[in-house]
Amino acid sequence: QILLNLLSNATKFGAGHPVRVWCERDAGPGPADSVAVHVRDEGPGIAPDDQARVFEEFVQLPGAAPGGTGLGLPISRRLAELLGGTLAVHSAVGAGSTFTLRLPLRTSAPRER
């Protein structure tokens, strides 16, 4: 659900440019020993003052596509937290946005048959 929302937003706000998605094993901020999934668009970007606001319920920034509820990112961040992870944004006006979902890697012992 988180990835569907991030891809939907990247397509909606990406101004018709390609959307880039990649993942990597990560030791960055967030859960130790995690996987990071990045979704990057080349849209108008988000001003620094608005980056925290996009994760607040019912917030729609000026210029947002009509028809949204302002709930997709807040719900996605909450789901990430419930899974022990994080959801963050890095963006610059005129340079697009990258949303990064970090989730802990879970390892388990092989099952016996």
Side-chain angles (χ1 to χ4, degrees):
Q1 186 61 51
I2 298 167
L3 289 175
L4 281 173
N5 182 63
L6 295 178
L7 290 168
S8 173
N9 283 353
T11 302
K12 189 180 344 178
F13 296 106
H17 296 285
V19 172
R20 216 173 134 222
V21 179
W22 72 101
C23 65
E24 59 193 346
R25 194 163 183 159
D26 186 56
D33 199 19
S34 61
V35 62
V37 181
H38 309 277
V39 178
R40 169 123 185 103
D41 69 62
E42 296 179 26
I46 304 167
D49 291 345
D50 290 329
Q51 290 179 27
R53 291 185 59 230
V54 299
F55 294 107
E56 295 174 8
E57 294 176 357
F58 303 109
V59 169
Q60 292 185 314
L61 300 178
T69 61
L71 290 173
L73 288 173
I75 289 171
S76 293
R77 180 175 260 183
R78 182 67 180 130
L79 287 171
E81 291 168 351
L82 288 169
L83 293 168
T86 61
L87 179 60
V89 63
H90 176 77
S91 185
V93 174
S97 302
T98 302
F99 284 84
T100 300
L101 170 65
R102 286 188 171 86
L103 295 173
L105 288 174
R106 301 209 196 279
T107 57
S108 58
R111 291 188 202 178
E112 292 184 29
R113 292 184 179 203

